[in-house]
Amino acid sequence: MKKLALGAIAALALALPAQAQTKYPERPITMIVPFAAGGPTDVIARLVSESMSKTLGTQVVVENVAGAGGTTGITRALTAAPDGYTIAMGHLGTFSAAPSTYPNLKYDPIDGMQAIGLAGGTPILIVAKKDFAPKDLKEFVAYVKGNTDKVTEAHAGVGSVSWTTCTLLKGQLGVPKLNSVAYRGTGPALNDLVSGQIDFMCDQIVSVSEQVKAGTIKAYAVASAERSPALPDVPTTKEAGLPEYQIEAWNGLAAPKGTPKEIVDKLVDALDKALKDETVKTRLLGLGAVIPSAEERTPAGFAALIKRDADKLTPVLSQAVKK
Ligand code: MLT
């Protein structure tokens, strides 16, 4: 009996360190958004973080760390301690485009990062100030080609989604150089578009759909195969006469490489639950986001998407930055 009790105590003692390791989270988690508040990354981060906070039983606090096309914030997040208390909401730009546009980038989204999962697909819209002269996409193309010295384009810095997607657009139109203005995110750029200080930008649907509906800006086309249910009157680029311009953007979560598996699993589960939460889902869909598939919400599925898009973008973007 005495022997048995001692054995049980020894077994308990052995089990304790393992239990202590999996006690996560014990304090608030910081979710870094590498752009200014009010932009698409911020919109998605704030929606999912609220639900993730409930699942994890601790506050997931969004912190905006803008600069250098989102690479400043992502560097901060991915070089933090791999303990699950600092994670990042990145996107097509910071994870798939930035490595080919910043030769001295301090992070590696392919081999040096722990993917968590995709948080939302974000179709790309070509949007302009409401009284911009061109009435439709064909007129927009002709106008931009004929007024390269006059037209002004907004973006969120080299390597951001707006920069990447408009770089592809300009490449296809044969107008690689326009007067472009870099902002700390497309949230502040949108303010200048609404007030008419800038002509156009390529932006993710989630932060501009409400302004398009309200008529404070206009949208020429969505660069996806299908129209967005959130903006059913906006034609696809194929319908509007520019079929070769097709690009899908997205936002997703990542953590520093080396984050323990049991912590990653909890974050994956919390993201998955957020995307199943009816309130979050309805809001995301209403803004035009695409809800990721079960596979895309996994670390492996998200990592494969990052690599696939990096492979697609690298040849085009590395040429574009040399020009
Ligand atoms: C933002 O959140 O401001 C955007 O995602 C910026 C961008 O990449 O275009």
Side-chain angles (χ1 to χ4, degrees):
M1 183 72 187
K2 200 174 168 193
K3 235 183 181 174
L4 234 176
L6 280 177
I9 290 168
L12 190 68
L14 277 174
L16 272 177
Q19 265 180 9
Q21 272 173 20
T22 53
K23 190 144 177 31
Y24 166 87
E26 293 182 299
R27 54 186 168 90
I29 296 166
T30 300
M31 184 186 286
I32 292 187
V33 162
F35 295 98
T41 320
D42 187 68
V43 166
I44 293 193
R46 285 179 198 275
L47 279 172
V48 298
S49 64
E50 214 176 299
S51 169
M52 287 177 75
S53 300
K54 285 184 216 147
T55 304
L56 292 164
T58 192
Q59 202 60 33
V60 179
V61 183
V62 170
E63 190 186 339
N64 300 85
V65 182
T71 60
T72 305
I74 298 294
T75 303
R76 165 103 60 99
L78 297 183
T79 53
D83 56 9
Y85 289 100
T86 309
I87 56 176
M89 181 64 81
H91 61 15
L92 171 79
T94 55
F95 293 158
S96 295
S100 53
T101 54
Y102 290 91
N104 299 319
L105 199 62
K106 299 272 186 308
Y107 62 89
D108 174 2
I110 310 289
D111 294 317
M113 175 178 101
Q114 173 62 58
I116 295 171
L118 190 65
T122 52
I124 291 297
L125 292 175
I126 304 170
V127 288
K129 62 182 182 184
K130 70 173 190 301
D131 51 4
F132 197 38
K135 284 192 288 300
D136 57 25
L137 188 62
K138 281 193 179 144
E139 283 191 20
F140 169 83
V141 168
Y143 188 89
V144 170
K145 285 182 171 177
N147 293 279
T148 48
D149 54 335
K150 224 165 77 185
V151 171
T152 51
E153 169 212 353
H155 63 76
V158 172
S160 65
V161 166
S162 42
W163 178 89
T164 299
T165 54
C166 256
T167 296
L168 300 181
L169 175 67
K170 290 183 293 180
Q172 287 177 6
L173 301 187
V175 291
K177 293 258 176 274
L178 290 180
N179 302 305
S180 61
V181 184
Y183 291 78
R184 294 171 74 76
T186 53
L190 178 62
N191 293 338
D192 281 2
L193 202 67
V194 170
S195 64
Q197 289 176 56
I198 200 101
D199 292 333
F200 85 101
M201 67 175 168
C202 303
D203 201 11
Q204 299 164 73
I205 193 165
V206 289
S207 59
V208 291
S209 54
E210 289 188 341
Q211 299 283 3
V212 173
K213 278 188 221 159
T216 53
I217 58 172
K218 61 180 164 191
Y220 290 118
V222 58
S224 308
E226 307 284 337
R227 290 188 183 205
S228 166
L231 291 174
D233 296 337
V234 175
T236 64
T237 43
K238 188 168 176 211
E239 291 169 327
L242 197 61
E244 63 278 24
Y245 186 58
Q246 300 267 332
I247 176 90
E248 293 289 340
W250 42 261
N251 285 254
L253 287 177
K257 187 175 176 152
T259 303
K261 182 170 181 322
E262 60 268 32
I263 291 179
V264 174
D265 289 347
K266 287 191 179 184
L267 292 165
V268 171
D269 174 63
L271 175 63
D272 184 56
K273 289 205 168 83
L275 296 172
K276 285 178 178 151
D277 178 326
E278 279 310 317
T279 314
V280 176
K281 234 170 106 174
T282 307
R283 187 79 186 119
L284 283 172
L285 289 169
L287 294 173
V290 178
I291 306 294
S293 67
E295 169 63 13
E296 289 168 331
R297 292 177 203 185
T298 65
F302 184 36
L305 174 67
I306 293 170
K307 174 145 179 26
R308 184 201 73 187
D309 282 356
D311 290 347
K312 262 200 245 170
L313 291 171
T314 301
V316 192
L317 295 181
S318 33
Q319 280 310 311
V321 283
K322 277 188 210 144
K323 281 185 185 161

